[in-house]
């Protein structure tokens, strides 16, 4: 398992600030256009972006704490704040989707409302182009580097761009249909698009919330667990240990790994330097040590200690 090198904290924070600036532009555009055009779908997109801005500010603060490293109060660092922040973000976005779904359903049942289709499509298209440009920019900036915060942000921009294109096509389609069949469709287009947007977006924050809760509840990631167990087994067999056990925990980018190696009664461990070489061999097999990876390797001849 080869670990990506950690991103430079200063670069991570600089990219997050640029992301916030771009998100503010989109939020202002969508909220203003939503109010002027009386479009619930565009207004919802703007409110969704505002929540994302607030959470990106929080991510910027968490990034600063992680860069600061451990201290006497948080002796393993601040990695645990990443999944906590992700869970809050997912919960807020999931609730906003539920609210939008109820609002859209109410609009359909009450007869809809008039929304100029082509201006709404133009706003959604501009929104999509900005979002896709930001997604590409962030993806290129973090290529080959480890940053869950920026990876999540780039994914959010890509999703926002895709849905912006869908919104533009839906409004444009409604406007074209009106030209053929009259204005009936446009009355329901905005509420219908809002419902579809909420239903399509909802699984994303729900999945984000579930993944974050796995970290918060200290559920061992299956891939990390299997990788650590494999490396421990290989090293144990190579150096004559009769058994091994491994334990893993993940919190955001933080990985906490403990390995116990059981020696036979007649085992001659050699010097401390020899044992440190075995530790280094395990670390290399796991992709090396680095910020956020805590590795403990214990040697014992008593099975109770592993």
């Amino acid at each position: 398992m080869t670990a990506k090198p950690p991103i430079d904290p200063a670069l991570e924070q600089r990219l997050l600030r640029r992301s916030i600036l771009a998100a503010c532009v989109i939020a202002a555009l969508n909220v203003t256009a939503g109010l002027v055009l009386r479009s619930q779908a565009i207004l919802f997109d703007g409110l969704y972006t505002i929540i994302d801005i607030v959470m990106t500010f929080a991510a910027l603060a968490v990034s600063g704490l992680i860069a600061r490293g451990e201290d006497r109060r948080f002796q393993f660092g601040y990695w645990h704040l990443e999944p906590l922040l992700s869970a809050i973000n997912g919960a807020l976005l999931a609730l906003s989707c539920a609210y939008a779904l109820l609002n859209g359903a109410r609009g359909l049942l009450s007869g809809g409302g008039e929304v100029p289709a082509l201006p709404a499509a133009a706003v959604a298209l501009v929104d999509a182009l900005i979002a896709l440009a930001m997604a590409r920019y962030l993806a290129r900036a973090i290529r080959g580097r480890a940053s869950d915060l920026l990876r999540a942000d780039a994914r959010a921009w890509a999703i926002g761009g895709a849905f912006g294109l869908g919104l533009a096509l839906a409004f444009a389609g409604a406007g074209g249909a009106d030209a053929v069949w009259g204005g009936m469709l446009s009355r329901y287009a905005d509420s219908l698009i809002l419902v579809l947007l909420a239903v399509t977006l909802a699984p994303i924050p729900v999945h984000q919330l579930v993944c974050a809760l796995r970290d918060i509840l200290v559920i061992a990631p299956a891939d990390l667990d299997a990788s650590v167990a494999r490396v421990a087994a290989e090293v144990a067999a190579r150096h004559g240990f009769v058994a091994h056990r491994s334990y893993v925990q993940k919190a955001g980018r933080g990985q906490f790994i403990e390995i116990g190696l059981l020696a036979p009664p007649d085992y001659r461990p050699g010097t401390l330097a020899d044992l440190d070489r075995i530790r280094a061999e395990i670390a290399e097999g796991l992709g090396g040590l680095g910020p956020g990876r805590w590795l403990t390797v214990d040697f014992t001849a008593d099975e109770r200690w592993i």
Side-chain angles (χ1 to χ4, degrees):
M1 182 178 65
T2 303
K4 292 181 179 179
I7 192 169
D8 176 57
L11 174 61
E12 182 177 59
Q13 293 178 44
R14 186 163 63 249
L15 291 172
L16 285 172
R17 290 190 188 96
R18 291 174 182 174
S19 179
I20 289 171
L21 181 61
C24 287
V25 171
I26 285 186
L29 172 67
N30 285 343
V31 170
T32 302
L35 293 173
V36 171
L37 300 175
R38 297 183 180 180
S39 168
Q40 294 183 77
I42 293 177
L43 187 58
F44 166 68
D45 199 13
L47 294 176
Y48 196 94
T49 305
I50 289 173
I51 293 175
D52 199 43
I53 290 170
V54 173
M55 298 313 298
T56 306
F57 268 116
L60 188 60
V62 169
S63 174
L65 289 172
I66 289 174
R68 196 168 70 186
E70 65 272 8
D71 54 35
R72 292 307 304 166
R73 295 185 66 190
F74 294 93
Q75 298 185 8
F76 286 92
Y78 291 85
W79 308 101
H80 61 287
L81 294 181
E82 277 190 306
L84 183 61
L85 182 64
S86 185
I88 294 171
N89 188 18
L92 288 175
L93 293 177
L95 287 173
S96 69
C97 287
Y99 176 76
L101 178 61
L102 293 175
N103 230 16
R106 185 178 64 182
L108 289 173
L109 293 174
S110 62
E114 292 289 346
V115 174
L118 294 182
V123 170
L125 182 59
V126 171
D127 182 348
L129 292 176
I130 295 174
L132 291 174
M134 279 302 301
R136 179 176 173 80
Y137 170 69
L138 290 176
R140 288 170 63 91
I142 64 173
R143 186 174 297 161
R145 298 183 177 94
S147 173
D148 286 352
L149 295 175
L150 285 173
R151 189 172 295 108
D153 200 37
R155 189 185 306 119
W157 279 113
I159 292 168
F163 281 110
L165 287 177
L167 203 60
L169 290 173
F171 276 121
D178 277 352
V180 178
W181 293 299
M184 179 65 71
L185 185 60
S186 66
R187 290 192 59 83
Y188 292 95
D190 186 60
S191 296
L192 181 59
I193 290 170
L194 181 62
V195 168
L196 293 176
L197 199 60
V199 170
T200 310
L201 277 173
I204 298 167
V206 169
H207 175 71
Q208 178 179 326
L209 177 60
V210 170
C211 290
L213 286 175
R214 290 180 66 87
D215 278 7
I216 293 171
L217 295 174
V218 199
I219 298 174
D223 55 345
L224 178 62
D225 185 39
S227 178
V228 171
R230 176 182 56 79
V231 171
E234 291 173 355
V235 171
R238 198 154 47 236
H239 292 277
F241 293 98
V242 295
H244 67 87
R245 284 182 188 161
S246 60
Y247 307 88
V248 300
Q249 178 183 338
K250 178 177 174 294
R253 282 172 281 178
Q255 296 179 354
F256 303 87
I257 302 167
E258 184 171 345
I259 296 173
L261 298 175
L262 181 65
D266 59 346
Y267 186 80
R268 295 294 177 265
T271 65
L272 289 176
D274 293 330
L275 296 179
D276 282 341
R277 277 191 285 272
I278 296 175
R279 288 188 175 95
E281 191 177 324
I282 291 173
E284 185 179 353
L286 294 174
L289 295 177
R293 173 170 286 171
W294 294 75
L295 175 62
T296 302
V297 182
D298 300 319
F299 304 92
T300 182
D302 188 339
E303 191 172 0
R304 292 177 304 169
W305 298 114
I306 64 169

